[in-house]
Amino acid sequence: MIRAVFFDVANTLLQKRDLLTRMNEALKDHGVHVTMEYLSLRHKLVSESMVFPDKTSREFYHHFNAELLLALGAIPTAERTNALFDACTYLPWSAFEDCSALRELNLPKGVLSNWDASLRDKLQEHLDVNFEWVLGSADVGVQKPNPEFFQAMISQSGFKPEEILFVGDSMRLDIAPALQCGIRAVLIDRQHHYPEATITRVTSLHQIFEHL
C-alpha cells in the first residue's frame, strides 16, 4: 500500500517551457537543421549521460552544449556553443499543466531533487501544493543517483520503502536508484522518449493514480 508520493522537480514538476524552441532557433541560425523531435530525444539522452551540479554555470553549459552538438552530428564550435548558451540561459521555470493532479492526490507528498538552496522557494513560487518533505541535494549534501539520498527520503518520511511511490523523468537519476532502494518508481515520459520501457511509465501525472 502506497502511503506517500515523492517527486523529482526539474522536468518532472517544473520545466523551462521554451528551452528546446530557443535551442532549435539558435541551431538553425548556425547551420544545424534538425527536427524538434530529434533535438528533444538527443537532448534527453545527453542529459541522462551527464552529472549536473546543484548550481549550474556558464562553463558547465558550454560543456553540455558541446556534447549536445556532437550528439546531433554537428561540430561544437565556440560560435555554436556560445549561441546556445545565450539563447537558453536563465529561462524562467514554470509548472507543467498536469501538476494540477497533485492537488487531487490525497496522500502526503514530498520532493527529492538535485537542486540548490532555492528549491523550497521555487516550489512555492510555481506550485500551489503542500509538500510535507522538501529534500534538495544542496541541503542534504548528496546528489541523485546516490542511494544515500533516497535513504534520507525513506528515513525522513518514516515509511517503509515499499510504501513510497517515487515519480521522476530520469532513468539514471530517478528510476534505477529508487528501485535499487526498494521504492516503487514511475517514469514520467511526456515526450514519449521511452515507448518500449520495461518499467512502469506514464505520460501524464494524472495517470499516477493508477499506480497507488
Side-chain angles (χ1 to χ4, degrees):
M1 178 181 178
I2 297 299
R3 301 180 64 185
V5 183
F6 278 78
F7 299 86
D8 168 53
V9 177
N11 300 313
T12 296
L13 300 181
L14 301 182
Q15 63 176 325
K16 293 192 173 182
R17 191 182 304 274
D18 298 326
L19 177 66
L20 292 180
T21 299
R22 296 281 296 273
M23 190 169 278
N24 207 15
E25 291 171 353
L27 288 169
K28 288 178 181 178
D29 288 343
H30 291 82
V32 182
H33 298 273
V34 296
T35 66
M36 284 294 292
E37 292 78 9
Y38 186 78
L39 174 59
S40 178
L41 179 57
R42 289 299 185 272
H43 186 272
K44 180 64 176 178
L45 294 177
V46 172
S47 298
E48 286 281 65
S49 69
M50 298 191 69
V51 177
F52 282 68
D54 292 333
K55 191 171 183 63
T56 54
S57 63
R58 186 182 188 94
E59 290 73 23
F60 169 79
Y61 276 118
H62 274 294
H63 176 52
F64 180 92
N65 291 334
E67 293 298 315
L68 176 62
L69 283 160
L70 289 171
L72 293 170
I75 298 300
T77 63
E79 183 180 44
R80 286 171 173 169
T81 58
N82 285 328
L84 286 172
F85 180 82
D86 292 340
C88 303
T89 190
Y90 307 126
L91 292 177
W93 290 98
S94 63
F96 285 99
E97 291 182 5
D98 59 359
C99 284
S100 59
L102 274 64
R103 294 193 292 273
E104 304 167 15
L105 183 59
N106 295 319
L107 286 172
K109 293 173 283 291
V111 300
L112 180 84
S113 181
N114 289 350
W115 206 285
D116 62 24
S118 69
L119 178 57
R120 189 177 293 274
D121 290 341
K122 196 67 65 178
L123 292 169
Q124 292 177 348
E125 178 183 355
H126 295 289
L127 292 169
D128 183 21
V129 177
N130 178 41
F131 293 105
E132 300 206 17
W133 308 279
V134 176
L135 285 78
S137 55
D139 294 326
V140 178
V142 64
Q143 281 191 328
K144 294 183 297 182
N146 191 326
E148 290 183 12
F149 202 5
F150 290 84
Q151 292 296 339
M153 178 180 74
I154 295 168
S155 176
Q156 289 200 27
S157 73
F159 296 119
K160 298 176 182 178
E162 62 270 21
E163 295 176 326
I164 299 172
L165 183 71
F166 188 77
V167 182
D169 71 295
S170 171
M171 287 293 297
R172 182 174 66 88
L173 298 180
D174 300 320
I175 306 306
L179 293 174
Q180 180 184 345
C181 293
I183 299 164
R184 290 180 59 184
V186 172
L187 176 71
I188 176 72
D189 183 24
R190 297 182 181 90
Q191 301 302 318
H192 301 275
H193 290 140
Y194 300 96
E196 306 299 329
T198 59
I199 44 81
T200 304
R201 167 184 172 271
V202 298
T203 56
S204 168
L205 291 179
H206 291 286
Q207 297 170 348
I208 64 175
F209 296 96
E210 302 169 11
H211 304 284
L212 298 178

